[in-house]
Every structure is written in C-alpha cells, then in structure tokens.
Amino acid sequence: MIIVSGSSSRNLADDLAQRLNLEHVRATSRKFPDGECYVRIEKETIDEEVIIVQNSYPNDMLVELFLLQDAARNLGAKKIINVIPYFGYARQDKTFLKGEAISARVMVKHLDLEADKIITVDIHTPKIIEWFGKATAIDVHAAECIGKYFINDGIDLVLAPDQGASGRAKAVASVLGSTWDHLLKTRLSGTEVRITPSNVEAGGKKVLIVDDIISTGGTIEAATRELRRLGAKAVYVACTHGLFISGALERLKKSCDKIVATNTIEGEVSMISVAPAIAAAFQ
Ligand code: R5P
C-alpha cells in the first residue's frame, strides 16, 4: 500500500504515512494558464493499493481529487482508498426548493465511480456515507484527538453550540473527564445565528466549545458572547473543519481565548492531527 497526497492534505498525509509506515508520494499539482488543474503521480507503476488523501473542497481540490483517482488507476492501482478529510458539498443533502440539485448525492455518485473505499472525518451529514454503492465508506471522528489536545488545559466544561452537536461535546468531555452541555442555536441567515439565553452553568469555568465546522464564525461568536454573559472564566474553541471564511479567524481570535482546528483543512490554527483516527481505520 502507498499513500498519495493531493495539494489539500500534505501534512496530514505525512503524519498518516508515518503512523502506517507507508511510502508517501506527493502528487505534482499545478494549474494551466486558463486555471484548469493538472496532476501527476511520479511513479513508474502502482501495483498495489493506494490511499489518496485529498479534500473535495474547495472546487479546485475536488477536481484534483477526481484527477488523482484517474492517475492512480492509469498507473495500475489495484484498489483506490480515498481519504477525504473534509468532504465538501455535504450540507445540501436534500432539495429545499423545487429545481435544486442534491449536491451531496452528486459528489457521492461521482466519487463512487473509481473508489473502492472512502474514509471521511466528521462528515457534516453522516447519512451520506450510506449512499455509496460500490465503495465501502466510513466516517471517523476527531473527538478523541481534540480531547487529547486539551488534556492539560484544565477544561471544566465542554459545550456544543446546539443540541445536534452534543454527541461530539460528550465524546470530547469523556476524554477530558469534564462535564458537557449544549447551547440552543437558531440560524437566522447564512451568517447570523441566535444563541438562546441558557441556564448552562458556565460561571467561573474554563469552557471549550466544540463544533464540526467553523465557516463564517457566526455560531462561535454568538456562543462566545453568551458564555461571557454567563460569566465563563475562559472560552476555548475547537472545530474539526476550520473553513474560516470572510475573515472569521481574525474575528474569532479577538473574542476567544484560544482557537484551534484539526488538520482536515490545513491552515494557521490546524494544530490537531486527525491522523490517529484515520490510521485506526486501517488497523
Ligand atoms: C452547523 O450545522 C454546523 O455544525 C456549524 O455550526 C456551522 O456550519 C457553523 O457555521 P458558521 O461558522 O458559519 O456559523
């Protein structure tokens, strides 16, 4: 088995290769002058199974992923295992208005054509995993890696911004041996959320908010405001997928005491590696 990384996931692939004791080939990736993607896996042949580590977000990374699947097949790969740390387009899993596409289903259909196995990390809508037909698919979780990262930080309370995310808060809290709870969130628009004033006991506590995605940062900003109102001593924030669009990271750095993400999306604060969780799926 070898590991091939695309340009979204070089560090994570390095870490994974070390843990699994496998060769890591960094695929060449560049753009033509017109913006089209080009990839090349510099090997004579691949006469084994290949693990391709590459996100399906943003759009260029998605195209790169499809090209890497094809390049690996062309070199003779026996089996293609796609590790997709951040699975893009997972949020539209149904039509909300007549005439829309079901984006998540489109992604699944096309990835399924070449993949034999798919591994995702904290996919936004877990039921999507069941839509793969040919490929076997599993979703692994970042909670243990996140919990271990904060093990020496004296966290008193782990908090989910909404009820739907409370399983993640509970899993992180069980690693830390702390209590957990959730706030109540209502989404008002793409960028605005309202956190309902709650009776969470945060006074004088060091609180860690955990979420799967930070996109515009609206959710975390509102949650942080509520925790300050409740008298929290410190507000730490961790997410699996740090998209941080429209200057969200700079804004959140001002409102939280500490903010980190995992390396499903590699960036300035992606301090937590999810390689242990992915490696476990190969054991
Ligand atoms: C929502 O279902 C997700 O779990 C996140 O809470 C959401 O994607 C965060 O988005 P934003 O940072 O834009 O508030």
Side-chain angles (χ1 to χ4, degrees):
M1 216 183 239
I2 63 160
I3 294 186
V4 170
S5 65
S7 58
S8 72
S9 306
R10 305 296 194 194
N11 299 336
L12 175 55
D14 262 343
D15 193 357
L16 190 61
Q18 273 175 32
R19 284 168 197 276
L20 296 175
N21 199 20
L22 296 174
E23 179 191 359
H24 172 200
V25 179
R26 293 169 165 245
T28 303
S29 140
R30 60 182 168 81
K31 291 273 183 62
F32 288 106
D34 60 2
E36 289 185 352
C37 299
Y38 167 93
V39 302
R40 183 174 174 216
I41 302 169
E42 293 195 40
K43 294 274 286 179
E44 281 307 307
T45 55
I46 299 179
D47 51 8
E48 57 217 318
E49 295 180 7
V50 60
I51 302 171
I52 298 173
V53 188
Q54 171 71 1
N55 284 339
S56 61
Y57 168 93
N59 293 341
D60 283 355
M61 297 300 120
L62 173 66
V63 173
E64 210 179 294
L65 195 168
F66 287 133
L67 299 184
L68 286 170
Q69 284 184 321
D70 193 62
R73 277 289 179 223
N74 294 342
L75 288 173
K78 301 257 181 303
K79 203 171 167 189
I80 293 184
I81 301 165
N82 281 112
V83 171
I84 308 177
Y86 179 61
F87 191 101
Y89 291 96
R91 293 197 245 198
Q92 179 114 15
D93 61 329
K94 59 183 177 207
T95 50
F96 299 89
L97 299 171
K98 199 166 164 38
E100 290 177 344
I102 303 174
S103 320
R105 194 175 61 190
V106 174
M107 296 306 137
V108 166
K109 261 200 259 180
H110 288 82
L111 289 164
D112 211 21
L113 292 173
E114 282 293 357
D116 296 285
K117 184 170 181 173
I118 301 270
I119 299 176
T120 59
V121 183
D122 286 349
I123 194 165
H124 186 68
T125 314
K127 72 172 183 196
I128 293 169
I129 284 299
E130 291 158 24
W131 295 352
F132 284 94
K134 180 171 72 63
T136 55
I138 58 162
D139 185 45
V140 303
H141 304 298
E144 192 176 340
C145 302
I146 293 174
K148 284 183 175 162
Y149 180 84
F150 286 97
I151 204 88
N152 295 317
D153 280 306
I155 301 294
D156 302 301
L157 171 67
V158 181
L159 208 57
D162 55 62
Q163 195 163 8
S166 55
R168 182 173 301 105
K170 185 179 176 186
V172 173
S174 82
V175 177
L176 292 171
S178 65
T179 55
W180 61 276
D181 207 334
H182 65 83
L183 295 167
L184 293 172
K185 164 174 131 177
T186 313
R187 182 159 285 288
L188 305 174
S189 71
T191 54
E192 273 182 297
V193 301
R194 182 175 59 226
I195 297 284
T196 308
S198 76
N199 54 5
V200 165
E201 288 180 14
K205 293 187 178 165
K206 200 182 245 193
V207 184
L208 170 64
I209 311 174
V210 287
D211 208 353
D212 60 340
I213 302 174
I214 298 179
S215 179
T216 65
T219 299
I220 297 298
E221 270 186 315
T224 303
R225 259 198 312 276
E226 176 63 2
L227 287 170
R228 300 277 187 216
R229 191 189 69 78
L230 293 168
K233 183 170 73 183
V235 180
Y236 286 8
V237 172
C239 68
T240 306
H241 312 295
L243 302 181
F244 300 122
I245 62 164
S246 313
L249 182 57
E250 291 316 309
R251 284 200 322 278
L252 291 175
K253 275 192 206 161
K254 289 183 193 138
S255 62
C256 318
D257 295 286
K258 184 172 186 173
I259 180 159
V260 292
T262 79
N263 57 355
T264 60
I265 296 174
E266 298 181 356
E268 187 188 327
V269 294
S270 56
M271 312 292 188
I272 305 172
S273 181
V274 289
I278 298 168
F282 289 93
Q283 255 107 56

